[in-house]
Amino acid sequence: MINKLIEKIRKTNAPIVVGLDPMLGYIPEHIKEKAFREYGETLEGAAEAVWQYNKGIVDAVYDLIPAVKPQIAMYEQFGIPGLQAYKKTIDYCKEKDLVVIGDIKRGDIGSTSAAYAVGHLGKVQVGSRKWAGFDEDFATVNPYLGSDGVKPFIEVCKEENKGLFILVKTSNPSSGEFQDRIIEGRPLYEWVGEKVAQWGEEHMGNGYSYIGAVVGATYPEMGKILRKIMPKTFILVPGYGAQGGKGADLVHFFNEDGLGAIVNSSRGIIAAYKQEAYASYGELNYADASRKAVEDMIADISGALENK
Amino acid sequence: MINKLIEKIRKTNAPIVVGLDPMLGYIPEHIKEKAFREYGETLEGAAEAVWQYNKGIVDAVYDLIPAVKPQIAMYEQFGIPGLQAYKKTIDYCKEKDLVVIGDIKRGDIGSTSAAYAVGHLGKVQVGSRKWAGFDEDFATVNPYLGSDGVKPFIEVCKEENKGLFILVKTSNPSSGEFQDRIIEGRPLYEWVGEKVAQWGEEHMGNGYSYIGAVVGATYPEMGKILRKIMPKTFILVPGYGAQGGKGADLVHFFNEDGLGAIVNSSRGIIAAYKQEAYASYGELNYADASRKAVEDMIADISGALENK
């Protein structure tokens, strides 16, 4: 799957991923009104609005981008109907041949991580048959529990030709509270990064491992160091746009081959129509605003990479 | 909710929680056969088997225990139908007046943690109405992202009278890989424990905070130290039984008042009928075997506490 991701990045010339993290507040009124008319102001109504909103965005941008990253929390907040919209979104994006990164940040003790891995990336045995629960292509994983919490995910990736992005240095303001603490002269996130590189070495695609890392765009200096510690690790970079990261800050997340990183933007793309720069599209044309925001993001990052 | 948990622990004289972590391999054949006859060897069939199995156990043990802890991964592995069985299990346990600890180990950047918190512990706004997605009483949370990943959970707990158990030192063999690393002379888990105590201080029930901690039964010496670092923190202790923890190892997780900890057993209770000690019950009477295993666990822990 890492090979497919890289091939699609090359084809689109866009090392970016659109974060499908729908909040009801982002969704245009006409979509919500229609959904609520049909299902009421219920979890089902919210889930229908989320799904229609996502579909509009995916239809408008799928030819420009290699991948999407739905954040499962934004669906889970609407309970079972929300998770049905999550699954519907995954399936639709896969129909459009997009690589789907499930931003699930799961991680637990071994047997429990195995259940998550099977549910999200693999197939579960039921009697004599096997079924895929969610079937994302990649999943994000939390490393706090150590190797035996991560390895069951790696096993499933190996069997199913899928991949991971493991949290190393997250984009949020307080990520340093534990991640930056110094252990034998180096911050915890470097130790985690080193471990991710080790886990990845035995699980290689063409040039890059299918065991990737998450490093926030908001910490470009740390990204530069982590790039060196994990030379064959693909880095998922959240925090571009709304969280403050800019193209010029991101060049050191990439290798000399122009690859090695994929930058996520969520709100900046999916709610572009709410920004001054794209306000002229209007609420009704929210998806066109998203397409323009994707084009601008590609230009920003490609430009920065060319001037590297 | 911490007050209710403590009151129920006092009433049952049982500082224990039953982990409802159903694997298909634990479920008696007669339950699976019936479910597969009705729904086929499908995710729906698996979910039905899980639900019937859980219901049998809950009916057999609810009067002996204060709380249950369903591990969401074991349901999530069966996709949407599995999560429907998770929700059904929560609702049924609450009908039986059990405190429900959702073992979800979520944790993300602020806005995302807020969505998880709302979905699992709070209510989400949909137009003019509010709905609860999963509605557990407590949830487990991963601290790797720091304060701004934890605080949205705390906010929802405050509003909704719910609680948390934050991972400090987990029960698995490789938990030490990152959690035991030494920072300024002390292991990371102590720093996390200190932070949990701080977060908890402003969020107190009667005597104990509703912001609790997770510390594995498999590390009793560390539990002893963490007990002192977090005097008003309720500790959820997984790892008893199948993972290797014994009653005598656990006394130092408790305070002098005999409170402060709640010990989880999952496989040791729900699949008791598969152990030699309870084999005489037979598969058909699996729930009676679970009841006996709960009684034995209570005796083991109470005995150890009395001899402390």
Side-chain angles (χ1 to χ4, degrees), chain B residues 26-45:
Chain B
Y26 302 166
I27 302 181
E29 287 304 324
H30 67 281
I31 294 179
K32 280 190 284 198
E33 275 168 20
K34 187 158 183 287
F36 292 166
R37 222 167 25 239
E38 199 166 350
Y39 296 94
E41 289 180 343
T42 60
L43 296 176
E44 288 76 12

mmCIF file of all heavy atoms in Angstrom, chain B residues 26-45:
data_model
loop_
_atom_site.group_PDB
_atom_site.id
_atom_site.type_symbol
_atom_site.label_atom_id
_atom_site.label_comp_id
_atom_site.label_asym_id
_atom_site.label_seq_id
_atom_site.Cartn_x
_atom_site.Cartn_y
_atom_site.Cartn_z
ATOM 1 N N TYR B 26 -14.002 -17.567 23.099
ATOM 2 C CA TYR B 26 -14.483 -17.791 24.475
ATOM 3 C C TYR B 26 -15.948 -18.216 24.505
ATOM 4 O O TYR B 26 -16.420 -18.724 25.517
ATOM 5 C CB TYR B 26 -14.420 -16.508 25.307
ATOM 6 C CG TYR B 26 -13.086 -15.825 25.461
ATOM 7 C CD1 TYR B 26 -13.029 -14.520 25.953
ATOM 8 C CD2 TYR B 26 -11.885 -16.469 25.167
ATOM 9 C CE1 TYR B 26 -11.820 -13.860 26.122
ATOM 10 C CE2 TYR B 26 -10.682 -15.803 25.333
ATOM 11 C CZ TYR B 26 -10.647 -14.501 25.805
ATOM 12 O OH TYR B 26 -9.466 -13.844 25.973
ATOM 13 N N ILE B 27 -16.673 -17.925 23.449
ATOM 14 C CA ILE B 27 -18.138 -18.047 23.502
ATOM 15 C C ILE B 27 -18.558 -19.499 23.290
ATOM 16 O O ILE B 27 -18.132 -20.137 22.324
ATOM 17 C CB ILE B 27 -18.788 -17.124 22.444
ATOM 18 C CG1 ILE B 27 -18.345 -15.670 22.697
ATOM 19 C CG2 ILE B 27 -20.310 -17.257 22.461
ATOM 20 C CD1 ILE B 27 -18.939 -14.648 21.736
ATOM 21 N N PRO B 28 -19.385 -20.032 24.204
ATOM 22 C CA PRO B 28 -19.828 -21.421 24.085
ATOM 23 C C PRO B 28 -20.499 -21.695 22.734
ATOM 24 O O PRO B 28 -21.183 -20.827 22.183
ATOM 25 C CB PRO B 28 -20.846 -21.562 25.229
ATOM 26 C CG PRO B 28 -20.408 -20.541 26.244
ATOM 27 C CD PRO B 28 -19.880 -19.391 25.444
ATOM 28 N N GLU B 29 -20.295 -22.935 22.274
ATOM 29 C CA GLU B 29 -20.797 -23.326 20.951
ATOM 30 C C GLU B 29 -22.301 -23.110 20.794
ATOM 31 O O GLU B 29 -22.759 -22.664 19.734
ATOM 32 C CB GLU B 29 -20.456 -24.803 20.660
ATOM 33 C CG GLU B 29 -18.979 -25.057 20.366
ATOM 34 C CD GLU B 29 -18.427 -24.221 19.219
ATOM 35 O OE1 GLU B 29 -19.154 -23.979 18.238
ATOM 36 O OE2 GLU B 29 -17.251 -23.782 19.320
ATOM 37 N N HIS B 30 -23.068 -23.419 21.859
ATOM 38 C CA HIS B 30 -24.527 -23.335 21.702
ATOM 39 C C HIS B 30 -24.978 -21.896 21.416
ATOM 40 O O HIS B 30 -25.941 -21.671 20.685
ATOM 41 C CB HIS B 30 -25.263 -23.915 22.922
ATOM 42 C CG HIS B 30 -25.099 -23.131 24.191
ATOM 43 N ND1 HIS B 30 -23.971 -23.193 24.989
ATOM 44 C CD2 HIS B 30 -25.922 -22.243 24.806
ATOM 45 C CE1 HIS B 30 -24.123 -22.403 26.044
ATOM 46 N NE2 HIS B 30 -25.286 -21.810 25.953
ATOM 47 N N ILE B 31 -24.239 -20.923 21.966
ATOM 48 C CA ILE B 31 -24.595 -19.520 21.710
ATOM 49 C C ILE B 31 -24.231 -19.130 20.282
ATOM 50 O O ILE B 31 -25.009 -18.491 19.568
ATOM 51 C CB ILE B 31 -23.875 -18.595 22.724
ATOM 52 C CG1 ILE B 31 -24.409 -18.871 24.134
ATOM 53 C CG2 ILE B 31 -24.057 -17.129 22.345
ATOM 54 C CD1 ILE B 31 -23.750 -18.037 25.215
ATOM 55 N N LYS B 32 -23.026 -19.542 19.869
ATOM 56 C CA LYS B 32 -22.600 -19.216 18.500
ATOM 57 C C LYS B 32 -23.513 -19.879 17.472
ATOM 58 O O LYS B 32 -23.927 -19.253 16.502
ATOM 59 C CB LYS B 32 -21.138 -19.658 18.284
ATOM 60 C CG LYS B 32 -20.147 -18.663 18.858
ATOM 61 C CD LYS B 32 -18.718 -18.963 18.444
ATOM 62 C CE LYS B 32 -18.158 -20.128 19.230
ATOM 63 N NZ LYS B 32 -16.686 -20.191 19.190
ATOM 64 N N GLU B 33 -23.824 -21.163 17.708
ATOM 65 C CA GLU B 33 -24.677 -21.885 16.751
ATOM 66 C C GLU B 33 -26.012 -21.191 16.550
ATOM 67 O O GLU B 33 -26.478 -21.012 15.425
ATOM 68 C CB GLU B 33 -24.905 -23.327 17.215
ATOM 69 C CG GLU B 33 -23.779 -24.248 16.789
ATOM 70 C CD GLU B 33 -23.839 -25.608 17.481
ATOM 71 O OE1 GLU B 33 -24.928 -25.980 17.977
ATOM 72 O OE2 GLU B 33 -22.781 -26.281 17.535
ATOM 73 N N LYS B 34 -26.616 -20.780 17.672
ATOM 74 C CA LYS B 34 -27.924 -20.117 17.588
ATOM 75 C C LYS B 34 -27.801 -18.792 16.812
ATOM 76 O O LYS B 34 -28.628 -18.487 15.941
ATOM 77 C CB LYS B 34 -28.451 -19.868 19.009
ATOM 78 C CG LYS B 34 -29.859 -19.331 19.065
ATOM 79 C CD LYS B 34 -30.508 -19.611 20.425
ATOM 80 C CE LYS B 34 -31.958 -19.144 20.469
ATOM 81 N NZ LYS B 34 -32.090 -17.680 20.531
ATOM 82 N N ALA B 35 -26.753 -18.023 17.142
ATOM 83 C CA ALA B 35 -26.593 -16.714 16.482
ATOM 84 C C ALA B 35 -26.309 -16.884 14.988
ATOM 85 O O ALA B 35 -26.848 -16.145 14.156
ATOM 86 C CB ALA B 35 -25.455 -15.945 17.155
ATOM 87 N N PHE B 36 -25.481 -17.873 14.658
ATOM 88 C CA PHE B 36 -25.136 -18.084 13.238
ATOM 89 C C PHE B 36 -26.334 -18.636 12.470
ATOM 90 O O PHE B 36 -26.492 -18.373 11.279
ATOM 91 C CB PHE B 36 -23.935 -19.039 13.104
ATOM 92 C CG PHE B 36 -22.628 -18.465 13.613
ATOM 93 C CD1 PHE B 36 -21.520 -19.301 13.826
ATOM 94 C CD2 PHE B 36 -22.479 -17.115 13.880
ATOM 95 C CE1 PHE B 36 -20.310 -18.800 14.289
ATOM 96 C CE2 PHE B 36 -21.273 -16.594 14.357
ATOM 97 C CZ PHE B 36 -20.193 -17.440 14.555
ATOM 98 N N ARG B 37 -27.174 -19.437 13.173
ATOM 99 C CA ARG B 37 -28.380 -19.942 12.515
ATOM 100 C C ARG B 37 -29.278 -18.770 12.120
ATOM 101 O O ARG B 37 -29.850 -18.737 11.038
ATOM 102 C CB ARG B 37 -29.126 -20.897 13.468
ATOM 103 C CG ARG B 37 -29.651 -22.120 12.766
ATOM 104 C CD ARG B 37 -30.121 -23.247 13.667
ATOM 105 N NE ARG B 37 -30.537 -22.902 14.988
ATOM 106 C CZ ARG B 37 -29.976 -23.388 16.107
ATOM 107 N NH1 ARG B 37 -28.956 -24.221 16.034
ATOM 108 N NH2 ARG B 37 -30.440 -23.047 17.289
ATOM 109 N N GLU B 38 -29.339 -17.779 13.015
ATOM 110 C CA GLU B 38 -30.245 -16.650 12.766
ATOM 111 C C GLU B 38 -29.652 -15.639 11.763
ATOM 112 O O GLU B 38 -30.350 -15.135 10.902
ATOM 113 C CB GLU B 38 -30.540 -15.949 14.096
ATOM 114 C CG GLU B 38 -31.788 -15.088 14.062
ATOM 115 C CD GLU B 38 -32.242 -14.689 15.488
ATOM 116 O OE1 GLU B 38 -31.698 -15.236 16.475
ATOM 117 O OE2 GLU B 38 -33.115 -13.820 15.574
ATOM 118 N N TYR B 39 -28.343 -15.340 11.911
ATOM 119 C CA TYR B 39 -27.736 -14.251 11.114
ATOM 120 C C TYR B 39 -26.634 -14.725 10.162
ATOM 121 O O TYR B 39 -26.034 -13.910 9.471
ATOM 122 C CB TYR B 39 -27.148 -13.189 12.052
ATOM 123 C CG TYR B 39 -28.172 -12.481 12.899
ATOM 124 C CD1 TYR B 39 -28.465 -12.919 14.202
ATOM 125 C CD2 TYR B 39 -28.875 -11.380 12.401
ATOM 126 C CE1 TYR B 39 -29.410 -12.265 14.982
ATOM 127 C CE2 TYR B 39 -29.818 -10.715 13.170
ATOM 128 C CZ TYR B 39 -30.084 -11.171 14.464
ATOM 129 O OH TYR B 39 -31.019 -10.520 15.226
ATOM 130 N N GLY B 40 -26.354 -16.024 10.146
ATOM 131 C CA GLY B 40 -25.258 -16.515 9.321
ATOM 132 C C GLY B 40 -23.909 -16.268 9.968
ATOM 133 O O GLY B 40 -23.827 -15.617 11.019
ATOM 134 N N GLU B 41 -22.855 -16.787 9.350
ATOM 135 C CA GLU B 41 -21.483 -16.549 9.841
ATOM 136 C C GLU B 41 -21.036 -15.185 9.332
ATOM 137 O O GLU B 41 -20.176 -15.064 8.456
ATOM 138 C CB GLU B 41 -20.563 -17.673 9.371
ATOM 139 C CG GLU B 41 -20.847 -18.994 10.082
ATOM 140 C CD GLU B 41 -19.931 -20.123 9.633
ATOM 141 O OE1 GLU B 41 -19.292 -20.005 8.569
ATOM 142 O OE2 GLU B 41 -19.850 -21.135 10.353
ATOM 143 N N THR B 42 -21.661 -14.158 9.854
ATOM 144 C CA THR B 42 -21.463 -12.778 9.396
ATOM 145 C C THR B 42 -21.043 -11.924 10.582
ATOM 146 O O THR B 42 -21.015 -12.386 11.728
ATOM 147 C CB THR B 42 -22.786 -12.215 8.860
ATOM 148 O OG1 THR B 42 -23.746 -12.261 9.941
ATOM 149 C CG2 THR B 42 -23.317 -13.034 7.686
ATOM 150 N N LEU B 43 -20.751 -10.640 10.319
ATOM 151 C CA LEU B 43 -20.463 -9.724 11.419
ATOM 152 C C LEU B 43 -21.695 -9.604 12.334
ATOM 153 O O LEU B 43 -21.558 -9.533 13.558
ATOM 154 C CB LEU B 43 -20.071 -8.344 10.873
ATOM 155 C CG LEU B 43 -18.769 -8.310 10.048
ATOM 156 C CD1 LEU B 43 -18.540 -6.908 9.481
ATOM 157 C CD2 LEU B 43 -17.565 -8.737 10.892
ATOM 158 N N GLU B 44 -22.885 -9.629 11.729
ATOM 159 C CA GLU B 44 -24.123 -9.568 12.524
ATOM 160 C C GLU B 44 -24.246 -10.809 13.411
ATOM 161 O O GLU B 44 -24.648 -10.701 14.576
ATOM 162 C CB GLU B 44 -25.358 -9.467 11.614
ATOM 163 C CG GLU B 44 -25.537 -8.134 10.917
ATOM 164 C CD GLU B 44 -24.590 -7.931 9.735
ATOM 165 O OE1 GLU B 44 -23.931 -8.913 9.291
ATOM 166 O OE2 GLU B 44 -24.489 -6.780 9.263
ATOM 167 N N GLY B 45 -23.906 -11.960 12.851
ATOM 168 C CA GLY B 45 -23.952 -13.202 13.626
ATOM 169 C C GLY B 45 -22.982 -13.166 14.786
ATOM 170 O O GLY B 45 -23.316 -13.549 15.919
#
